[in-house]
Amino acid sequence: MKKVLITGAAGFLGSHLCDRFIKENYHVIGMDNFITGDKKNLQHLENNPNFEFIEHDVTEFVSIEGGLDYILHFASPASPIDYLKIPIQTLKVGSLGTHNLLGLAKAKKARILIASTSEVYGDPLVHPQTEDYYGNVNTIGPRGVYDEAKRFQESITMAYHRFHGLETRIVRIFNTYGPRMRLNDGRVIPAFMGQALRGEDLTIFGNGMQTRSFCYVNDQVEGIYNLLLSDYSYPVNIGNPHEITIKDFAEEIIKLTGTEQRVIYKDLPVDDPLQRQPDISLAKKVLNWEPKVGREEGMKKTFEYFKSLSKEELYKSEHKDFNNHIRR
Ligand SMILES: NC(=O)c1ccc[n+]([C@@H]2O[C@H](COP(=O)([O-])OP(=O)(O)OC[C@H]3O[C@@H](n4cnc5c(N)ncnc54)[C@H](O)[C@@H]3O)[C@@H](O)[C@H]2O)c1
């Protein structure tokens, strides 16, 4: 049985990845320190003999008993309100955490896949973004802590690949959504759905003409799985290129949720990218992958999940004061 270590396992993407590898009959070791994750995302695996969990901060030395075939490094705060609240931890998990896991991969002769992000392109001057675009990042802006941690993460990963001959993979993840996202993480989908469920107006920052493209979690996980098992060592964009303005998206959410609320407008936050759209030609070519789940289907499933949450979770207001400053 192949053994895989997944860091950030209690988070949104990490928990879905655990499910995917369990389904493929791997022995999965999940690791997390719960800084932004939630135990309940892994509850369903608790009694699974092929799953074990280690509570650990990956910025500290990571040791695993026995052999290891694969490592997927997904630990990192991922939403702007999180990394603004914990900027040093964000920088540390991208740098020290990645260094620790590369060292572990080297010791175990394991293949390692690193979760990078479309944020490495910053506020892009090229549209849509291809992997050979170097990006436009403000190093000292509020988002710099995340963007630069991820850029460093890519550099050190390539250094281990070139210098030590380590088998490495780098996925540049574009906005992904689905069940197990946190309702109050400040990202636009849970924000709109939460507002609709609470009977609040939907807040748009700026004039709503900024665009986003959203990838359903199952598609994202499939792309990551294919990349891990491929022989391609350079970064690959995984996301859904279907672009929509935030204004049109708010209308879609109003229709989906049946809310009678309206849209209200607030000032655009600092460094909020105006356009973000992946060019996925490379993923199509080297991974034979493209997204399959349409927005209507994916949003429906996501809304079902948010509807199933308790009233307490629906009204929990972690980070409320950050919402006016930063939004993705
Ligand atoms: N969700 C997206 O749309 C998206 C987009 C681009 C990149 N990513 C990347 O994917 C990964 C997962 O994102 P997510 O959306 O699932 O976020 P998430 O916050 O739901 O999950 C991240 C997990 O990492 C854990 N973690 C953070 N620091 C840790 C540390 N030092 N030690 C151990 N565990 C730690 C958290 O507790 C959490 O469970 C991140 O690396 C993120 O940068 C996600």
Side-chain angles (χ1 to χ4, degrees):
M1 193 177 239
K2 295 236 182 213
K3 216 161 146 191
V4 56
L5 168 68
I6 301 178
T7 75
F12 164 52
L13 290 178
S15 63
H16 284 281
L17 283 164
C18 289
D19 291 344
R20 183 70 173 90
F21 282 87
I22 289 283
K23 198 176 132 203
E24 295 295 332
N25 235 353
Y26 282 72
H27 183 85
V28 177
I29 305 172
M31 183 174 281
D32 209 293
N33 68 349
F34 300 116
I35 195 164
T36 60
D38 195 330
K39 285 192 172 106
K40 82 173 187 327
N41 290 336
L42 294 174
Q43 230 161 29
H44 60 290
L45 295 176
E46 240 169 42
N47 297 321
N48 191 314
N50 293 339
F51 181 75
E52 56 182 297
F53 181 78
I54 303 173
E55 183 169 348
H56 184 70
D57 179 342
V58 300
T59 66
E60 307 288 339
F61 182 74
V62 183
S63 127
I64 298 286
E65 273 176 33
L68 203 55
D69 298 286
Y70 300 113
I71 299 173
L72 288 96
H73 180 30
F74 277 69
S76 170
S79 88
I81 47 175
D82 286 335
Y83 53 74
L84 277 189
K85 204 173 162 201
I86 42 176
I88 314 288
Q89 287 94 329
T90 303
L91 282 156
K92 281 174 72 177
V93 75
S95 54
L96 304 179
T98 304
H99 185 218
N100 285 334
L101 291 156
L102 287 164
L104 180 68
K106 182 169 167 272
K108 302 282 183 188
K109 298 187 173 44
R111 181 179 295 178
I112 181 166
L113 181 145
I114 299 291
S116 186
T117 166
S118 55
E119 295 297 312
V120 298
Y121 301 121
D123 194 0
L125 305 174
V126 165
H127 190 75
Q129 293 84 52
T130 46
E131 288 84 351
D132 55 6
Y133 176 52
Y134 294 163
N136 177 36
V137 174
N138 176 1
T139 57
I140 56 164
R143 288 161 185 261
V145 294
Y146 181 68
D147 303 3
E148 292 300 340
K150 291 292 186 179
R151 287 167 71 94
F152 173 83
Q153 185 182 45
E154 287 196 6
S155 302
I156 192 170
T157 299
M158 286 314 295
Y160 265 72
H161 173 68
R162 293 192 178 112
F163 190 75
H164 291 303
L166 198 69
E167 283 196 41
T168 56
R169 306 286 179 265
I170 298 173
V171 55
R172 288 190 182 149
I173 301 168
F174 282 68
N175 268 350
T176 300
Y177 71 97
R180 302 187 198 151
M181 284 185 99
R182 269 167 35 232
L183 198 54
N184 293 308
D185 80 355
R187 290 188 262 195
V188 65
I189 293 171
F192 279 169
M193 289 191 178
Q195 285 173 325
L197 284 168
R198 289 188 298 265
E200 297 168 2
D201 291 333
L202 270 55
T203 316
I204 289 183
F205 294 96
N207 63 8
M209 296 316 287
Q210 67 272 42
T211 65
R212 292 294 182 269
S213 53
F214 304 112
C215 182
Y216 189 62
V217 63
N218 291 11
D219 282 334
Q220 183 63 246
V221 164
E222 211 49 37
I224 292 166
Y225 187 78
N226 288 3
L227 176 61
L228 179 74
L229 299 184
S230 78
D231 54 9
Y232 194 78
S233 307
Y234 292 93
V236 180
N237 291 338
I238 298 286
N240 190 324
H242 195 166
E243 203 179 16
I244 185 170
T245 65
I246 291 295
K247 190 166 181 282
D248 288 345
F249 182 58
E251 294 305 327
E252 280 189 7
I253 296 284
I254 287 174
K255 226 167 100 192
L256 169 73
T257 60
T259 175
E260 285 168 8
Q261 305 304 312
R262 57 193 183 98
V263 168
I264 54 166
Y265 291 87
K266 289 190 177 167
D267 289 344
L268 193 68
V270 182
D271 291 341
D272 196 47
L274 291 179
Q275 261 186 330
R276 200 44 92 50
Q277 185 191 26
D279 182 317
I280 56 164
S281 319
L282 184 66
K284 279 184 185 164
K285 194 171 131 206
V286 297
L287 309 178
N288 193 21
W289 173 91
E290 62 183 321
K292 292 198 169 66
V293 182
R295 203 168 46 239
E296 197 179 343
E297 183 189 346
M299 289 298 163
K300 233 180 180 167
K301 287 184 177 154
T302 309
F303 188 54
E304 288 306 313
Y305 170 77
F306 285 131
K307 267 201 310 204
S308 74
L309 296 179
S310 66
K311 268 221 149 58
E312 194 191 344
E313 280 183 89
L314 187 60
Y315 286 91
K316 197 160 75 178
S317 62
E318 53 168 346
H319 310 313
K320 227 173 185 163
D321 43 336
F322 280 93
N323 273 352
N324 288 340
H325 304 296
I326 287 284
R327 170 68 90 59
R328 171 93 6 106

